Amino acid sequence: MKVEIQLDAPPVDAARRAVELAGTGAAGLFTFEGPHDVFFPLVAAAGVVDVDLATNVAIALPRSPMHLANAAWDLQSMSGGRFRLGLGSQIRPHIEKRYSSTWSRPAARMRDTVLAVRAILEAWQNGTRLDYRGEFHTHTLMPPTFVPGPNPHGVPPILLGALGPVMTRTAAEVADGLLVMPFHSERHFHERTLPAVELGLARRERDGFEVVPQVIVATGRTDAELTAAATGVRALLAFYGSTPAYRPVLEVEGWAHLQEQLNALSKRGAIAEMIALVDDTMLETLAVRGTPEACAAEIVRRFGDHADRVCCYFPGYDVDLTHVRDLVAALSADTLSAAPRTAPVHR
């Protein structure tokens, strides 16, 4: 199983950090739309490491498909064909209040964005006339002055981040892959995510689709390391759990009542109380915890039948890079030694 690690550095430090993380044997690095731009660290990394690079995710709704296509084309070129464009919708308060943009029918908008970006990239690649007319986006003007292609490395794949059934179904219908929201449980993945994927695949007109689980990992070898890791992970789980849009994950596990409690505490800034609500059962259901080898075995058990690649987060604590290296090695070894698997969900 290939492992991708979050490139957790601002652009000014991204090249140095990318070299460190690539040294763990990770197959790829990804960025997310946090306190810094999601694309710039990858620009810095592209010239210094020979691993896959991805946005995970770039928030699509406030951006034009043309902006996304330009960034994707350039990073595909800079990385030598190792870039994947991961897109996400974000939740309504962020789109309206943080980005000052428009929110409505997010799955329909994301579908249109994926198709629009692909239409632009393929027009550049194939030298064909750009004539995309979608529900939300129209792209019909592309003078030669603005055409960068064709890209010698081909058109980069477009993946879509999703949690709910409609967005997940949309990803399986039109994107090249699904980035499974990191806040999930094994039951939610099997009972809600995979059935939605199958519905989307039934409507799909393109070949090739991959499911990429994202896993929150609390790892260490000493009691002190494991305690620090668990504390960091509990904080992230509490934050996710307070978000109304993520309530379905808690519902599946019978913890729906916790969402309202966490939300109320978040509005008071009661962070310590939020973290205290994430007990060991919740921690080990929504994340994986233990030594690198134990975490690797659990990841393979949960996702080995459905994925060849996994994205790992180490939130809220300073993970020892030797532990990351051991996790990567153990995942590869566990995958190779595992019993014969059913085929991953990609067609």
Side-chain angles (χ1 to χ4, degrees):
M1 184 177 287
K2 294 181 179 179
V3 183
E4 298 194 353
I5 307 297
Q6 182 185 342
L7 178 52
D8 53 350
V12 68
D13 293 325
R16 175 194 58 79
R17 183 60 170 170
V19 171
E20 289 181 349
L21 294 174
T24 66
L29 305 176
F30 63 87
T31 53
F32 87 109
E33 195 92 61
H36 300 281
D37 182 87
V38 72
F39 293 104
F40 288 177
L42 297 177
V43 172
V48 297
V49 294
D50 187 24
V51 298
D52 294 341
L53 302 175
T55 54
N56 186 8
V57 291
I59 305 306
L61 296 185
R63 289 183 169 97
S64 162
M66 189 62 67
H67 291 136
L68 294 168
N70 276 129
W73 194 100
D74 288 341
L75 277 165
Q76 177 76 337
S77 179
M78 295 177 71
S79 66
R82 292 177 284 106
F83 177 68
R84 302 195 320 281
L85 178 64
L87 301 177
S89 62
Q90 249 300 350
I91 59 175
R92 183 169 190 164
H94 283 264
I95 296 301
E96 293 184 337
K97 299 178 181 179
R98 184 157 68 96
Y99 289 101
S100 186
S101 191
T102 301
W103 170 274
S104 70
R105 301 176 57 211
R109 285 182 174 272
M110 291 303 298
R111 181 184 192 278
D112 201 35
T113 296
V114 170
L115 295 176
V117 172
R118 183 178 290 127
I120 296 167
L121 292 172
E122 292 183 350
W124 290 343
Q125 188 70 15
N126 301 322
T128 54
R129 181 173 179 268
L130 178 60
D131 187 22
Y132 182 79
R133 303 170 191 269
E135 185 176 0
F136 301 97
H137 301 293
T138 300
H139 298 278
T140 58
L141 178 64
M142 185 52 62
T145 302
F146 302 100
V147 177
N151 195 309
H153 306 289
V155 173
I158 305 172
L159 283 70
L160 185 55
L163 175 69
V166 178
M167 192 70 78
T168 301
R169 185 173 68 240
T170 299
E173 181 183 355
V174 301
D176 297 305
L178 167 69
L179 295 166
V180 181
M181 170 72 185
F183 186 73
H184 65 264
S185 68
E186 183 178 4
R187 284 189 61 189
H188 187 274
F189 178 71
H190 285 276
E191 295 178 12
R192 301 201 179 181
T193 298
L194 292 180
V197 167
E198 291 298 333
L199 289 174
L201 291 176
R203 304 177 182 181
R204 187 176 182 81
E205 297 179 356
R206 294 169 56 88
D207 293 330
F209 183 79
E210 66 174 333
V211 173
V212 183
Q214 302 182 76
V215 184
I216 299 170
V217 180
T219 192
R221 293 202 180 277
T222 68
D223 289 343
E225 288 176 337
L226 288 168
T227 297
T231 300
V233 167
R234 289 182 207 274
L236 180 61
L237 295 178
F239 167 73
Y240 277 141
S242 71
T243 306
Y246 304 152
R247 180 187 177 102
V249 175
L250 298 177
E251 285 180 343
V252 166
E253 299 296 336
W255 301 328
H257 62 285
L258 288 177
Q259 191 277 315
E260 295 177 358
Q261 295 179 42
L262 289 166
N263 186 264
L265 290 170
S266 70
K267 292 177 179 178
R268 289 170 29 207
I271 306 302
E273 294 178 57
M274 292 174 65
I275 293 173
L277 287 179
V278 182
D279 62 18
D280 286 348
T281 299
M282 188 173 176
L283 170 64
E284 294 174 0
T285 299
L286 303 176
V288 297
R289 175 172 64 167
T291 65
E293 293 77 17
C295 289
E298 180 62 10
I299 290 170
V300 170
R301 188 192 68 78
R302 293 185 190 184
F303 304 113
D305 287 343
H306 305 283
D308 295 321
R309 179 190 304 264
V310 65
C311 293
C312 292
Y313 292 79
F314 308 93
Y317 68 103
D318 293 325
V319 63
D320 190 317
L321 289 184
T322 61
H323 300 340
V324 178
R325 185 179 300 112
D326 291 343
L327 174 71
V328 171
L331 273 168
S332 177
D334 280 353
T335 302
L336 291 173
S337 63
R341 304 182 300 151
T342 57
V345 183
H346 41 147
R347 300 176 179 177

